[in-house]
Amino acid sequence: MAESQFQPVLQRALSHALSHLENLDRLPVSAPVPLLQLRARFDRPLTDRGVDPVTVIEDLVADAAGGVLGSTGGRFFGWVIGGSVPAALAADWLVSAWDQNAAIHACGPAVAVMEEIAGKWLKDLLRLPSEASFAFTTGSQLAHLTGLAAARHALLARHGWDVERRGLAGAPQIRIFSSNQRHGSIERAVRLLGLGHGNVLDLPVDGQGRLVPDALATGLGTDSDRPTLVILQAGDLHMGAFDPFVELVPVAHRHGAWVHVDGAFGLWANASPRYRHLLAGVELADSWVADGHKWLNVPYDSGYVFVADPQAHREAVSHRTSYTTFVEGARDQIDWNPEWSRRARAVTTYAAIRQLGRRGIAGLIERTCRLAQTLVTGIGALPGAETVWEPTINQGLVRFLSRKPNATAADHDARTDEVIANTIRNGEAFFGGTTWRGMRCMRVSVCNWQTSDEDVNHAIAAIGKALEF
Ligand SMILES: *Cc1c(COP(=O)(O)O)cnc(C)c1O
C-alpha cells in the first residue's frame, strides 16, 4: 500500500492539539508574545518549491507558541467566549476532512440533513416556534444581517415595495427602535442592508438594563404609518439584561412593527428551567439570533438565525441558478443563508447537542451562571475591589479603587485598567475591560463548559495578587 499522504501530518496535528488542550491548566491564559515577534516568526520566505506538510505543521505550532490565548480553558473570562465540548471539536475535524460544500443538499446530503435536525433541535431547546425557518451563519453578525434582511423584505412588502427587485432608493424609510445598550453588530447589519444606522432610535433602559416599555410605546405612537423595526436584547454584554418581551412585543406588533431579538448568548437561558422566566414572551418575536460558539461551546463559525415567517426569510435570501441540482423534498441551505459555498458548520452544533442533551445544556447554563456569581462576589470582596453588577446570568462587572488619598473617578478608572493589565500579564486568568455608565469596569463573563469552582477560586486569588501591585 502506498504511504498515506495524510497519516503523518494529521497524527502530528492530533498530538499538538491534545498537548494544547491538556496543558491549558498549566499554560498562561494570556498570549504574551509581542506582535512584532509573531510577525517575524511567521513571515518565513515564500518559497518556490513549498515545504513538506509535517514541517508546515511543526513550524506553525512552534511559531504560534505564546501567541495562542487559553480561551478554550476554564480561566478565560474575557468578552463572551466559550470553549468547545469534545464531541463538537471532533465533529469540526470531520467537517474539515469531509470538506463538503454545504451550499445545497446535493453537494453534501449527510451534512445537509444534520443541519435540518440541528435546526429543529435548536428551536426546541431555545423554545422558539417550531414552524420558524433557520440558517446557520458564521456568527450573530451575519445572523443579524439575515434576520434583518427578512424584516426589510416583509416591512416593505406591506407597503407595496419589492425591495429585492427595486432596491431601497425611493422606498419608504424604515425606522428602527432599540435600547441604547444594543450590541455594535446591530449597527453594522443595519448599515450593510442600506437601512442607515442614523435611522436607529435609541431608547432608554431602566436600572436593570431593560428597555423601558413606555419609551417604546411613545416612540411607536408618532409617525405610526412608517415601516418599523424593533430590535430587542436577550442578554446584553455588560449585565446580561433581558428586555421585557411580554410587554414589548405585543406593543410593537400592535403598531405593525417587526421584532428582532439579539440573543447571541442570552437566548440560551431559555434552555434552563431555572432561568427561562427571564425570557418570557420572547417566542412572540419575528426573528431571533443566537450563537453556538459562545454558550453552547462549539468551535467558532457558529451563529443561528430563526425567522417566524419562512416566506419572508426565503424571499430575502434565496438564490437559485440553472446549474444547481435540486433534490426533491430536501432543504437547500442556500435558500436560507446569505452565502454560496460554505463550511458544513451545523455539524458541530448537532454533535454538541447530542453530547450534552437537554439536561447537559441546562446544567452548563446554570453552572456558569452560578460560577459567575461566585466569581464576581469573590472579586468584589477583595480589599480595593468593588462589585458593580452582580450577575443575573453569566455576566457581571467589578472595578478597582485607587489607594490615592482623595482619589477621583479618573484615578479609579486608571486603577481598574491597571489591575486588568496586571492580571493578564500574570497569565493565571483573563478578563477584559469596558466603560459602563461612564466608569471603567472589568467584565466577568463565564461561558466555558470546563470552568470549575477551582478555576474560580484560582482566578479570585490571581486578582488578589494583581491587587498587590
Ligand atoms: C457576541 C455578540 C454579538 C456578535 O456575535 P458574533 O457571533 O461575534 O458575530 C452580537 N450580540 C451580542 C449580545 C453578543 O454578545
Side-chain angles (χ1 to χ4, degrees):
M1 218 172 82
E3 200 188 313
S4 165
Q5 300 275 326
F6 291 108
Q7 177 86 9
V9 69
L10 289 184
Q11 290 292 0
R12 291 311 299 146
L14 171 63
S15 146
H16 284 301
L18 286 174
S19 106
H20 175 74
L21 294 170
E22 288 173 357
N23 284 304
L24 280 169
D25 248 11
R26 275 165 294 237
L27 292 170
V29 184
S30 48
V33 175
L35 168 67
L36 294 182
Q37 199 175 330
L38 285 174
R39 277 206 190 120
R41 286 191 202 162
F42 285 111
D43 194 5
R44 292 168 178 273
L46 171 54
T47 63
D48 286 334
R49 286 163 174 279
V51 183
D52 77 282
V54 170
T55 307
V56 172
I57 293 305
E58 293 296 349
D59 286 350
L60 179 156
V61 170
D63 292 352
V68 178
L69 282 176
S71 52
T72 201
R75 272 176 282 117
F76 193 91
F77 307 107
W79 301 286
V80 182
I81 287 196
S84 295
V85 294
L89 174 56
D92 200 44
W93 291 2
L94 287 173
V95 167
S96 292
W98 293 338
D99 198 18
Q100 304 283 283
N101 183 350
I104 55 173
H105 179 95
C107 266
V111 298
V113 172
M114 277 190 263
E115 179 164 324
E116 287 177 18
I117 305 304
K120 183 182 76 166
W121 285 348
L122 285 172
K123 286 185 279 178
D124 182 340
L125 289 162
L126 301 172
R127 299 165 82 84
L128 300 177
S130 60
E131 324 75 60
S133 54
F134 57 85
F136 285 76
T137 60
T138 51
S140 286
Q141 175 70 76
L142 267 285
H144 285 320
L145 187 85
T146 308
L148 296 181
R152 185 181 67 168
H153 168 89
L155 288 170
L156 293 179
R158 282 181 219 155
H159 281 71
W161 189 271
D162 178 352
V163 70
E164 281 71 38
R165 189 171 63 83
R166 301 174 76 178
L168 281 168
Q173 200 177 54
I174 297 177
R175 59 184 185 153
I176 304 165
F177 291 107
S178 97
S179 91
N180 56 20
Q181 297 300 303
R182 69 180 164 276
H183 191 269
S185 54
I186 298 287
E187 244 82 10
R188 186 150 64 161
V190 162
R191 237 163 70 198
L192 292 171
L193 287 165
L195 300 178
H197 66 72
N199 295 311
V200 184
L201 303 157
D202 277 357
L203 297 174
V205 295
D206 65 13
Q208 311 287 306
R210 297 173 301 205
L211 199 157
V212 177
D214 282 350
L216 180 65
T218 307
L220 288 166
T222 52
D223 270 347
S224 54
D225 52 341
R226 281 179 57 191
T228 305
L229 183 56
V230 172
I231 298 177
L232 302 180
Q233 180 88 57
D236 88 298
L237 59 83
H238 288 117
M239 314 160 75
F242 294 85
D243 288 332
F245 305 106
V246 220
E247 291 173 68
L248 297 174
V249 183
V251 172
H253 282 166
R254 222 172 293 135
H255 288 85
W258 176 291
V259 181
H260 175 82
V261 176
D262 180 1
F265 61 92
L267 202 55
W268 282 104
N270 234 8
S272 153
R274 192 177 304 163
Y275 288 97
R276 68 173 58 120
H277 65 276
L278 296 167
L279 287 128
V282 77
E283 70 285 353
L284 305 171
D286 300 288
S287 51
W288 306 262
V289 159
D291 270 327
H293 53 220
K294 289 177 178 172
W295 226 349
L296 182 62
N297 281 257
V298 308
Y300 274 100
D301 200 28
S302 184
Y304 320 125
V305 61
F306 306 88
V307 181
D309 173 0
Q311 199 188 332
H313 182 181
R314 189 177 184 137
E315 290 193 15
V317 171
S318 178
H319 170 68
R320 298 245 157 174
T321 67
S322 58
Y323 55 88
T324 37
T325 308
F326 297 105
V327 176
E328 184 63 28
R331 175 184 181 276
D332 286 306
Q333 300 94 316
I334 199 169
D335 283 332
W336 312 102
N337 227 85
E339 289 167 295
W340 232 122
S341 301
R342 63 194 270 276
R343 181 175 178 77
R345 61 171 71 94
V347 173
T348 57
T349 295
Y350 179 90
I353 295 174
R354 279 218 66 210
Q355 182 191 324
L356 296 168
R358 249 182 237 288
R359 216 177 285 167
I361 292 170
L364 164 64
I365 302 305
E366 290 161 14
R367 185 171 69 250
T368 42
C369 289
R370 174 178 65 77
L371 291 169
Q373 166 84 22
T374 312
L375 186 50
V376 166
T377 51
I379 296 169
L382 294 168
E386 190 176 271
T387 300
V388 176
W389 179 256
E390 202 174 311
T392 337
I393 51 166
N394 63 337
Q395 306 292 315
L397 297 167
V398 295
R399 68 171 187 155
F400 304 104
L401 305 176
S402 168
R403 284 169 294 201
K404 283 187 199 162
N406 308 317
T408 62
D411 293 326
H412 298 317
D413 285 351
R415 178 62 177 157
T416 298
D417 283 329
E418 181 183 55
V419 175
I420 296 170
N422 289 346
T423 307
I424 293 175
R425 197 172 318 111
N426 217 304
E428 291 180 71
F430 193 105
F431 296 88
T434 189
T435 301
W436 185 75
R437 298 191 177 171
M439 93 188 127
R440 291 298 291 165
C441 295
M442 186 175 89
R443 289 185 52 208
V444 178
S445 165
V446 185
C447 288
N448 197 295
W449 69 285
Q450 296 202 82
T451 300
S452 62
D453 288 281
E454 198 184 342
D455 285 320
V456 162
N457 292 334
H458 188 156
I460 296 168
I463 299 281
K465 273 189 246 169
L467 277 163
E468 286 166 17
F469 296 94

PDB file of all heavy atoms in Angstrom, residues 80 138-142 144 182-186 233-237 262-266 289-291 293-294 300 302-303 443, ligand 1:
ATOM      1  N   VAL A  80     -17.267  37.430  25.486  1.00  0.00           N
ATOM      2  CA  VAL A  80     -18.210  36.331  25.760  1.00  0.00           C
ATOM      3  C   VAL A  80     -17.730  35.196  24.869  1.00  0.00           C
ATOM      4  O   VAL A  80     -18.047  35.141  23.680  1.00  0.00           O
ATOM      5  CB  VAL A  80     -19.671  36.708  25.426  1.00  0.00           C
ATOM      6  CG1 VAL A  80     -20.614  35.550  25.776  1.00  0.00           C
ATOM      7  CG2 VAL A  80     -20.091  37.972  26.169  1.00  0.00           C
ATOM      8  N   THR A 138     -21.997  32.444  10.077  1.00  0.00           N
ATOM      9  CA  THR A 138     -20.674  32.479  10.720  1.00  0.00           C
ATOM     10  C   THR A 138     -20.771  32.872  12.192  1.00  0.00           C
ATOM     11  O   THR A 138     -19.941  32.473  12.992  1.00  0.00           O
ATOM     12  CB  THR A 138     -19.780  33.512  10.019  1.00  0.00           C
ATOM     13  OG1 THR A 138     -20.506  34.739   9.946  1.00  0.00           O
ATOM     14  CG2 THR A 138     -19.420  33.071   8.617  1.00  0.00           C
ATOM     15  N   GLY A 139     -21.738  33.719  12.504  1.00  0.00           N
ATOM     16  CA  GLY A 139     -21.901  34.191  13.877  1.00  0.00           C
ATOM     17  C   GLY A 139     -23.146  35.041  13.948  1.00  0.00           C
ATOM     18  O   GLY A 139     -23.927  35.110  12.979  1.00  0.00           O
ATOM     19  N   SER A 140     -23.332  35.715  15.076  1.00  0.00           N
ATOM     20  CA  SER A 140     -24.520  36.559  15.215  1.00  0.00           C
ATOM     21  C   SER A 140     -24.495  37.736  14.245  1.00  0.00           C
ATOM     22  O   SER A 140     -25.546  38.205  13.812  1.00  0.00           O
ATOM     23  CB  SER A 140     -24.633  37.082  16.650  1.00  0.00           C
ATOM     24  OG  SER A 140     -25.053  36.037  17.499  1.00  0.00           O
ATOM     25  N   GLN A 141     -23.298  38.220  13.926  1.00  0.00           N
ATOM     26  CA  GLN A 141     -23.239  39.353  12.996  1.00  0.00           C
ATOM     27  C   GLN A 141     -23.987  39.030  11.693  1.00  0.00           C
ATOM     28  O   GLN A 141     -24.856  39.770  11.271  1.00  0.00           O
ATOM     29  CB  GLN A 141     -21.771  39.708  12.701  1.00  0.00           C
ATOM     30  CG  GLN A 141     -21.606  40.786  11.664  1.00  0.00           C
ATOM     31  CD  GLN A 141     -22.063  42.152  12.165  1.00  0.00           C
ATOM     32  OE1 GLN A 141     -21.359  42.795  12.938  1.00  0.00           O
ATOM     33  NE2 GLN A 141     -23.240  42.598  11.743  1.00  0.00           N
ATOM     34  N   LEU A 142     -23.647  37.936  11.078  1.00  0.00           N
ATOM     35  CA  LEU A 142     -24.308  37.569   9.816  1.00  0.00           C
ATOM     36  C   LEU A 142     -25.724  37.029  10.046  1.00  0.00           C
ATOM     37  O   LEU A 142     -26.571  37.094   9.160  1.00  0.00           O
ATOM     38  CB  LEU A 142     -23.459  36.556   9.037  1.00  0.00           C
ATOM     39  CG  LEU A 142     -22.502  37.151   7.999  1.00  0.00           C
ATOM     40  CD1 LEU A 142     -23.257  37.618   6.763  1.00  0.00           C
ATOM     41  CD2 LEU A 142     -21.700  38.333   8.546  1.00  0.00           C
ATOM     42  N   HIS A 144     -27.707  38.467  12.213  1.00  0.00           N
ATOM     43  CA  HIS A 144     -28.480  39.722  12.210  1.00  0.00           C
ATOM     44  C   HIS A 144     -28.752  40.168  10.779  1.00  0.00           C
ATOM     45  O   HIS A 144     -29.861  40.558  10.437  1.00  0.00           O
ATOM     46  CB  HIS A 144     -27.696  40.841  12.910  1.00  0.00           C
ATOM     47  CG  HIS A 144     -27.668  40.722  14.403  1.00  0.00           C
ATOM     48  ND1 HIS A 144     -28.764  40.334  15.135  1.00  0.00           N
ATOM     49  CD2 HIS A 144     -26.681  40.955  15.297  1.00  0.00           C
ATOM     50  CE1 HIS A 144     -28.435  40.332  16.427  1.00  0.00           C
ATOM     51  NE2 HIS A 144     -27.187  40.692  16.548  1.00  0.00           N
ATOM     52  N   ARG A 182     -27.719  48.129  22.935  1.00  0.00           N
ATOM     53  CA  ARG A 182     -27.585  47.072  21.913  1.00  0.00           C
ATOM     54  C   ARG A 182     -26.118  46.847  21.549  1.00  0.00           C
ATOM     55  O   ARG A 182     -25.262  47.699  21.718  1.00  0.00           O
ATOM     56  CB  ARG A 182     -28.375  47.453  20.665  1.00  0.00           C
ATOM     57  CG  ARG A 182     -27.768  48.612  19.947  1.00  0.00           C
ATOM     58  CD  ARG A 182     -28.519  49.014  18.698  1.00  0.00           C
ATOM     59  NE  ARG A 182     -28.072  50.358  18.323  1.00  0.00           N
ATOM     60  CZ  ARG A 182     -28.562  51.463  18.847  1.00  0.00           C
ATOM     61  NH1 ARG A 182     -29.546  51.404  19.721  1.00  0.00           N
ATOM     62  NH2 ARG A 182     -28.088  52.644  18.498  1.00  0.00           N
ATOM     63  N   HIS A 183     -25.872  45.695  20.980  1.00  0.00           N
ATOM     64  CA  HIS A 183     -24.532  45.310  20.533  1.00  0.00           C
ATOM     65  C   HIS A 183     -24.205  46.010  19.206  1.00  0.00           C
ATOM     66  O   HIS A 183     -25.097  46.212  18.383  1.00  0.00           O
ATOM     67  CB  HIS A 183     -24.505  43.790  20.342  1.00  0.00           C
ATOM     68  CG  HIS A 183     -23.128  43.237  20.139  1.00  0.00           C
ATOM     69  ND1 HIS A 183     -22.567  43.086  18.898  1.00  0.00           N
ATOM     70  CD2 HIS A 183     -22.205  42.789  21.034  1.00  0.00           C
ATOM     71  CE1 HIS A 183     -21.354  42.559  19.030  1.00  0.00           C
ATOM     72  NE2 HIS A 183     -21.109  42.372  20.316  1.00  0.00           N
ATOM     73  N   GLY A 184     -22.925  46.328  19.012  1.00  0.00           N
ATOM     74  CA  GLY A 184     -22.497  47.043  17.805  1.00  0.00           C
ATOM     75  C   GLY A 184     -22.770  46.299  16.506  1.00  0.00           C
ATOM     76  O   GLY A 184     -22.812  46.914  15.426  1.00  0.00           O
ATOM     77  N   SER A 185     -22.972  44.989  16.586  1.00  0.00           N
ATOM     78  CA  SER A 185     -23.223  44.219  15.368  1.00  0.00           C
ATOM     79  C   SER A 185     -24.576  44.592  14.743  1.00  0.00           C
ATOM     80  O   SER A 185     -24.796  44.375  13.552  1.00  0.00           O
ATOM     81  CB  SER A 185     -23.179  42.716  15.668  1.00  0.00           C
ATOM     82  OG  SER A 185     -24.068  42.399  16.711  1.00  0.00           O
ATOM     83  N   ILE A 186     -25.468  45.153  15.544  1.00  0.00           N
ATOM     84  CA  ILE A 186     -26.761  45.609  15.013  1.00  0.00           C
ATOM     85  C   ILE A 186     -26.524  46.774  14.048  1.00  0.00           C
ATOM     86  O   ILE A 186     -27.033  46.772  12.921  1.00  0.00           O
ATOM     87  CB  ILE A 186     -27.698  46.070  16.173  1.00  0.00           C
ATOM     88  CG1 ILE A 186     -28.009  44.917  17.118  1.00  0.00           C
ATOM     89  CG2 ILE A 186     -28.946  46.742  15.637  1.00  0.00           C
ATOM     90  CD1 ILE A 186     -28.949  43.890  16.561  1.00  0.00           C
ATOM     91  N   GLN A 233     -33.200  42.950  23.094  1.00  0.00           N
ATOM     92  CA  GLN A 233     -31.983  42.316  23.572  1.00  0.00           C
ATOM     93  C   GLN A 233     -32.318  41.198  24.543  1.00  0.00           C
ATOM     94  O   GLN A 233     -33.047  41.413  25.508  1.00  0.00           O
ATOM     95  CB  GLN A 233     -31.191  43.415  24.308  1.00  0.00           C
ATOM     96  CG  GLN A 233     -29.893  42.997  24.882  1.00  0.00           C
ATOM     97  CD  GLN A 233     -28.776  43.128  23.872  1.00  0.00           C
ATOM     98  OE1 GLN A 233     -28.541  44.192  23.328  1.00  0.00           O
ATOM     99  NE2 GLN A 233     -28.115  42.022  23.618  1.00  0.00           N
ATOM    100  N   ALA A 234     -31.764  40.013  24.261  1.00  0.00           N
ATOM    101  CA  ALA A 234     -31.852  38.922  25.234  1.00  0.00           C
ATOM    102  C   ALA A 234     -30.443  38.674  25.750  1.00  0.00           C
ATOM    103  O   ALA A 234     -29.701  37.876  25.202  1.00  0.00           O
ATOM    104  CB  ALA A 234     -32.427  37.668  24.579  1.00  0.00           C
ATOM    105  N   GLY A 235     -30.052  39.402  26.778  1.00  0.00           N
ATOM    106  CA  GLY A 235     -28.721  39.248  27.359  1.00  0.00           C
ATOM    107  C   GLY A 235     -27.752  40.263  26.783  1.00  0.00           C
ATOM    108  O   GLY A 235     -27.144  40.009  25.753  1.00  0.00           O
ATOM    109  N   ASP A 236     -27.610  41.431  27.411  1.00  0.00           N
ATOM    110  CA  ASP A 236     -26.615  42.391  26.916  1.00  0.00           C
ATOM    111  C   ASP A 236     -25.262  42.049  27.528  1.00  0.00           C
ATOM    112  O   ASP A 236     -25.178  41.331  28.527  1.00  0.00           O
ATOM    113  CB  ASP A 236     -27.022  43.837  27.243  1.00  0.00           C
ATOM    114  CG  ASP A 236     -26.534  44.258  28.601  1.00  0.00           C
ATOM    115  OD1 ASP A 236     -26.974  43.619  29.577  1.00  0.00           O
ATOM    116  OD2 ASP A 236     -25.721  45.178  28.717  1.00  0.00           O
ATOM    117  N   LEU A 237     -24.214  42.564  26.902  1.00  0.00           N
ATOM    118  CA  LEU A 237     -22.900  42.046  27.268  1.00  0.00           C
ATOM    119  C   LEU A 237     -22.332  42.613  28.564  1.00  0.00           C
ATOM    120  O   LEU A 237     -21.310  42.141  29.048  1.00  0.00           O
ATOM    121  CB  LEU A 237     -21.923  42.194  26.090  1.00  0.00           C
ATOM    122  CG  LEU A 237     -21.648  43.571  25.526  1.00  0.00           C
ATOM    123  CD1 LEU A 237     -20.601  44.296  26.342  1.00  0.00           C
ATOM    124  CD2 LEU A 237     -21.154  43.429  24.085  1.00  0.00           C
ATOM    125  N   ASP A 262     -31.826  40.085  19.588  1.00  0.00           N
ATOM    126  CA  ASP A 262     -30.408  39.723  19.673  1.00  0.00           C
ATOM    127  C   ASP A 262     -30.212  38.895  20.941  1.00  0.00           C
ATOM    128  O   ASP A 262     -30.178  39.425  22.045  1.00  0.00           O
ATOM    129  CB  ASP A 262     -29.538  40.982  19.718  1.00  0.00           C
ATOM    130  CG  ASP A 262     -28.043  40.639  19.820  1.00  0.00           C
ATOM    131  OD1 ASP A 262     -27.700  39.432  19.838  1.00  0.00           O
ATOM    132  OD2 ASP A 262     -27.230  41.576  19.870  1.00  0.00           O
ATOM    133  N   GLY A 263     -30.101  37.578  20.737  1.00  0.00           N
ATOM    134  CA  GLY A 263     -29.892  36.684  21.878  1.00  0.00           C
ATOM    135  C   GLY A 263     -28.587  35.924  21.729  1.00  0.00           C
ATOM    136  O   GLY A 263     -28.537  34.730  22.040  1.00  0.00           O
ATOM    137  N   ALA A 264     -27.554  36.608  21.246  1.00  0.00           N
ATOM    138  CA  ALA A 264     -26.281  35.957  20.888  1.00  0.00           C
ATOM    139  C   ALA A 264     -25.879  34.894  21.913  1.00  0.00           C
ATOM    140  O   ALA A 264     -25.599  33.762  21.576  1.00  0.00           O
ATOM    141  CB  ALA A 264     -25.186  36.999  20.720  1.00  0.00           C
ATOM    142  N   PHE A 265     -25.884  35.301  23.184  1.00  0.00           N
ATOM    143  CA  PHE A 265     -25.667  34.259  24.201  1.00  0.00           C
ATOM    144  C   PHE A 265     -26.914  34.078  25.056  1.00  0.00           C
ATOM    145  O   PHE A 265     -27.288  32.968  25.411  1.00  0.00           O
ATOM    146  CB  PHE A 265     -24.419  34.547  25.055  1.00  0.00           C
ATOM    147  CG  PHE A 265     -24.459  35.831  25.822  1.00  0.00           C
ATOM    148  CD1 PHE A 265     -24.932  35.853  27.118  1.00  0.00           C
ATOM    149  CD2 PHE A 265     -24.045  37.021  25.237  1.00  0.00           C
ATOM    150  CE1 PHE A 265     -24.988  37.047  27.837  1.00  0.00           C
ATOM    151  CE2 PHE A 265     -24.099  38.222  25.940  1.00  0.00           C
ATOM    152  CZ  PHE A 265     -24.577  38.221  27.240  1.00  0.00           C
ATOM    153  N   GLY A 266     -27.624  35.190  25.341  1.00  0.00           N
ATOM    154  CA  GLY A 266     -28.707  35.158  26.321  1.00  0.00           C
ATOM    155  C   GLY A 266     -29.883  34.263  25.962  1.00  0.00           C
ATOM    156  O   GLY A 266     -30.591  33.778  26.849  1.00  0.00           O
ATOM    157  N   VAL A 289     -31.756  35.753  17.027  1.00  0.00           N
ATOM    158  CA  VAL A 289     -30.372  35.412  16.714  1.00  0.00           C
ATOM    159  C   VAL A 289     -29.714  34.820  17.951  1.00  0.00           C
ATOM    160  O   VAL A 289     -29.964  35.272  19.074  1.00  0.00           O
ATOM    161  CB  VAL A 289     -29.636  36.698  16.256  1.00  0.00           C
ATOM    162  CG1 VAL A 289     -28.133  36.570  16.403  1.00  0.00           C
ATOM    163  CG2 VAL A 289     -30.029  37.034  14.820  1.00  0.00           C
ATOM    164  N   ALA A 290     -28.914  33.792  17.742  1.00  0.00           N
ATOM    165  CA  ALA A 290     -28.116  33.228  18.839  1.00  0.00           C
ATOM    166  C   ALA A 290     -26.818  32.685  18.257  1.00  0.00           C
ATOM    167  O   ALA A 290     -26.684  32.529  17.041  1.00  0.00           O
ATOM    168  CB  ALA A 290     -28.888  32.118  19.557  1.00  0.00           C
ATOM    169  N   ASP A 291     -25.879  32.412  19.133  1.00  0.00           N
ATOM    170  CA  ASP A 291     -24.604  31.826  18.730  1.00  0.00           C
ATOM    171  C   ASP A 291     -24.452  30.445  19.326  1.00  0.00           C
ATOM    172  O   ASP A 291     -24.883  30.196  20.458  1.00  0.00           O
ATOM    173  CB  ASP A 291     -23.438  32.680  19.265  1.00  0.00           C
ATOM    174  CG  ASP A 291     -23.013  33.782  18.303  1.00  0.00           C
ATOM    175  OD1 ASP A 291     -23.096  33.575  17.081  1.00  0.00           O
ATOM    176  OD2 ASP A 291     -22.582  34.843  18.793  1.00  0.00           O
ATOM    177  N   HIS A 293     -21.163  29.333  19.163  1.00  0.00           N
ATOM    178  CA  HIS A 293     -19.757  29.402  19.594  1.00  0.00           C
ATOM    179  C   HIS A 293     -19.551  30.140  20.914  1.00  0.00           C
ATOM    180  O   HIS A 293     -18.423  30.252  21.372  1.00  0.00           O
ATOM    181  CB  HIS A 293     -18.857  29.946  18.487  1.00  0.00           C
ATOM    182  CG  HIS A 293     -19.266  31.251  17.871  1.00  0.00           C
ATOM    183  ND1 HIS A 293     -19.162  31.477  16.518  1.00  0.00           N
ATOM    184  CD2 HIS A 293     -19.760  32.378  18.398  1.00  0.00           C
ATOM    185  CE1 HIS A 293     -19.575  32.724  16.247  1.00  0.00           C
ATOM    186  NE2 HIS A 293     -19.947  33.273  17.368  1.00  0.00           N
ATOM    187  N   LYS A 294     -20.610  30.641  21.501  1.00  0.00           N
ATOM    188  CA  LYS A 294     -20.457  31.234  22.828  1.00  0.00           C
ATOM    189  C   LYS A 294     -20.902  30.206  23.877  1.00  0.00           C
ATOM    190  O   LYS A 294     -20.136  29.346  24.259  1.00  0.00           O
ATOM    191  CB  LYS A 294     -21.237  32.544  22.917  1.00  0.00           C
ATOM    192  CG  LYS A 294     -20.577  33.645  22.082  1.00  0.00           C
ATOM    193  CD  LYS A 294     -21.349  34.935  22.079  1.00  0.00           C
ATOM    194  CE  LYS A 294     -20.603  35.998  21.267  1.00  0.00           C
ATOM    195  NZ  LYS A 294     -21.406  37.207  21.093  1.00  0.00           N
ATOM    196  N   TYR A 300     -15.637  28.012  16.755  1.00  0.00           N
ATOM    197  CA  TYR A 300     -16.081  29.205  16.041  1.00  0.00           C
ATOM    198  C   TYR A 300     -16.666  28.878  14.682  1.00  0.00           C
ATOM    199  O   TYR A 300     -16.439  27.821  14.138  1.00  0.00           O
ATOM    200  CB  TYR A 300     -14.944  30.226  15.905  1.00  0.00           C
ATOM    201  CG  TYR A 300     -14.947  31.042  17.151  1.00  0.00           C
ATOM    202  CD1 TYR A 300     -14.055  30.791  18.171  1.00  0.00           C
ATOM    203  CD2 TYR A 300     -15.961  31.967  17.355  1.00  0.00           C
ATOM    204  CE1 TYR A 300     -14.150  31.465  19.357  1.00  0.00           C
ATOM    205  CE2 TYR A 300     -16.069  32.650  18.547  1.00  0.00           C
ATOM    206  CZ  TYR A 300     -15.167  32.394  19.547  1.00  0.00           C
ATOM    207  OH  TYR A 300     -15.275  33.054  20.722  1.00  0.00           O
ATOM    208  N   SER A 302     -20.181  29.647  14.207  1.00  0.00           N
ATOM    209  CA  SER A 302     -21.453  29.037  14.561  1.00  0.00           C
ATOM    210  C   SER A 302     -22.462  30.061  15.080  1.00  0.00           C
ATOM    211  O   SER A 302     -22.562  30.306  16.273  1.00  0.00           O
ATOM    212  CB  SER A 302     -21.215  27.959  15.621  1.00  0.00           C
ATOM    213  OG  SER A 302     -22.417  27.297  15.903  1.00  0.00           O
ATOM    214  N   GLY A 303     -23.186  30.682  14.137  1.00  0.00           N
ATOM    215  CA  GLY A 303     -24.280  31.576  14.510  1.00  0.00           C
ATOM    216  C   GLY A 303     -25.590  31.027  13.964  1.00  0.00           C
ATOM    217  O   GLY A 303     -25.589  30.211  13.031  1.00  0.00           O
ATOM    218  N   ARG A 443     -15.000  43.347  33.050  1.00  0.00           N
ATOM    219  CA  ARG A 443     -16.115  42.444  32.758  1.00  0.00           C
ATOM    220  C   ARG A 443     -15.765  41.037  33.213  1.00  0.00           C
ATOM    221  O   ARG A 443     -14.646  40.579  33.061  1.00  0.00           O
ATOM    222  CB  ARG A 443     -16.407  42.418  31.255  1.00  0.00           C
ATOM    223  CG  ARG A 443     -17.025  43.713  30.763  1.00  0.00           C
ATOM    224  CD  ARG A 443     -17.399  43.589  29.308  1.00  0.00           C
ATOM    225  NE  ARG A 443     -18.214  42.404  29.099  1.00  0.00           N
ATOM    226  CZ  ARG A 443     -18.256  41.721  27.964  1.00  0.00           C
ATOM    227  NH1 ARG A 443     -17.521  42.095  26.948  1.00  0.00           N
ATOM    228  NH2 ARG A 443     -19.037  40.676  27.849  1.00  0.00           N
TER     229      ARG A 443
HETATM  230  C1  LIG B   1     -21.107  38.332  20.535  1.00  0.00           C
HETATM  231  C2  LIG B   1     -22.335  39.117  20.369  1.00  0.00           C
HETATM  232  C3  LIG B   1     -22.768  39.520  19.094  1.00  0.00           C
HETATM  233  C4  LIG B   1     -21.947  39.262  17.856  1.00  0.00           C
HETATM  234  O1  LIG B   1     -21.865  37.880  17.631  1.00  0.00           O
HETATM  235  P1  LIG B   1     -20.772  37.229  16.706  1.00  0.00           P
HETATM  236  O2  LIG B   1     -21.055  35.783  16.806  1.00  0.00           O
HETATM  237  O3  LIG B   1     -19.452  37.626  17.301  1.00  0.00           O
HETATM  238  O4  LIG B   1     -20.950  37.772  15.336  1.00  0.00           O
HETATM  239  C5  LIG B   1     -23.974  40.178  18.997  1.00  0.00           C
HETATM  240  N1  LIG B   1     -24.702  40.455  20.093  1.00  0.00           N
HETATM  241  C6  LIG B   1     -24.313  40.103  21.333  1.00  0.00           C
HETATM  242  C7  LIG B   1     -25.178  40.429  22.503  1.00  0.00           C
HETATM  243  C8  LIG B   1     -23.114  39.421  21.515  1.00  0.00           C
HETATM  244  O5  LIG B   1     -22.725  39.060  22.745  1.00  0.00           O
END
